[in-house]
Amino acid sequence: VLVSGGGTNLQAIIDRIADGSLSKVRIVGVIASRPGTVAEQRAVRADIPVKIVCRKDAPDLAAYDRAVIAALSDWNPELIVLAGFLNLLGPAVVATWRNRIINVHPSLIPSFCGPGYYGIRPHEAVLASGVRVTGATVHIVNEEYDQGPIILQKAVTVHADDTPQTLQLRVMQEAEQVILPKAIALFAAGRIQIEDRKAIILGGTEND
Ligand code: GAR
């Protein structure tokens, strides 16, 4: 699991493993993009090994890519989960784990996504636009920001009195923390099949 900040999505995965709803899943390690994050504390508390790999320690994206690959290779994960990870992974990482990297994004892709839309910013843009519905998306990571095949989405209603912070909290709690563990369970069950630009869920989803 790759993290950059508060680690509430990481915590949701830890909790679902602990309560047995995410079975046959183990977090082999956490990579944080900087030292001193709350996400790191959450991993340590759950006895999960943590490595710090900083983008600014690498002279360019290729060197950063090599550092991430080296850190990941020690653990040899079957699935890489970007849980609030705010760096762009380089092409070598994406190619090495093709269709085995997933990301949770705090909007309904293809709205409010792409470069610059991270953290609180999608929620600010949602409120500025006047849309009535937002939500979260879990998708496969490819070489472009927020462009890979969509696995799961969950909608959240925008309230007239929302601030970016109240909306962010509701999207996290009602959408992200629900669909990210679900997507991991689908992957673990071998139920995600990629065809062209689409992710097919074998056996369907509860929305079908
Ligand atoms: C989450 O809202 C996540 O969707 C978002 O950052 C937040 C991290 O929260 N990710 C992105 O914006 C990626 N484009 P967390 O660290 O508490 O899980």
Side-chain angles (χ1 to χ4, degrees):
V1 182
L2 275 57
V3 297
S4 295
T8 56
N9 282 293
L10 168 65
Q11 191 66 54
I13 303 167
I14 292 170
D15 292 347
R16 295 296 77 75
I17 293 172
D19 72 15
S21 49
L22 246 187
S23 58
K24 297 184 186 157
V25 172
R26 185 166 65 93
I27 304 176
V28 291
V30 164
I31 294 181
S33 61
R34 59 190 172 90
T37 59
V38 177
E40 179 183 354
Q41 294 169 18
R42 293 179 192 271
V44 170
R45 212 181 306 139
D47 276 333
I48 300 166
V50 180
K51 294 179 189 182
I52 314 287
V53 185
C54 297
R55 174 67 180 83
K56 65 175 167 41
D57 292 343
D60 53 29
L61 186 60
Y64 175 65
D65 239 19
R66 286 195 293 277
V68 173
I69 289 174
L72 286 167
S73 297
D74 290 342
W75 289 320
N76 196 22
E78 288 168 89
L79 175 69
I80 297 170
V81 178
L82 309 189
F85 183 71
L86 301 184
N87 288 356
L88 181 67
L89 290 176
V93 179
V94 174
T96 305
W97 281 275
R98 174 76 59 199
N99 294 338
R100 293 191 293 143
I101 309 176
I102 64 173
N103 177 50
V104 60
H105 180 79
S107 77
L108 293 175
I109 290 175
S111 291
F112 309 106
C113 64
Y117 284 103
Y118 59 87
I120 197 76
R121 295 186 185 188
H123 308 294
E124 291 170 345
V126 160
L127 292 179
S129 77
V131 294
R132 302 292 191 241
V133 175
T134 183
T137 303
V138 177
H139 65 93
I140 298 280
V141 171
N142 63 14
E143 284 79 359
E144 293 161 81
Y145 261 118
D146 304 329
Q147 293 288 307
I150 290 168
I151 301 169
L152 291 175
Q153 292 187 301
K154 191 165 190 291
V156 172
T157 304
V158 179
H159 298 166
D161 60 355
D162 264 327
T163 64
Q165 288 73 22
T166 61
L167 186 58
Q168 179 184 43
L169 187 64
R170 238 176 25 265
V171 168
M172 283 174 154
Q173 293 177 339
E174 293 179 13
E176 297 184 43
Q177 293 163 22
V178 175
I179 61 174
L180 184 58
K182 270 190 189 164
I184 295 169
L186 288 172
F187 184 90
R191 290 179 53 197
I192 302 174
Q193 188 172 304
I194 309 301
E195 288 179 15
D196 301 325
R197 296 191 58 79
K198 286 173 69 174
I200 312 296
I201 308 297
L202 304 175
T205 70
E206 61 209 44
N207 297 332
D208 296 333

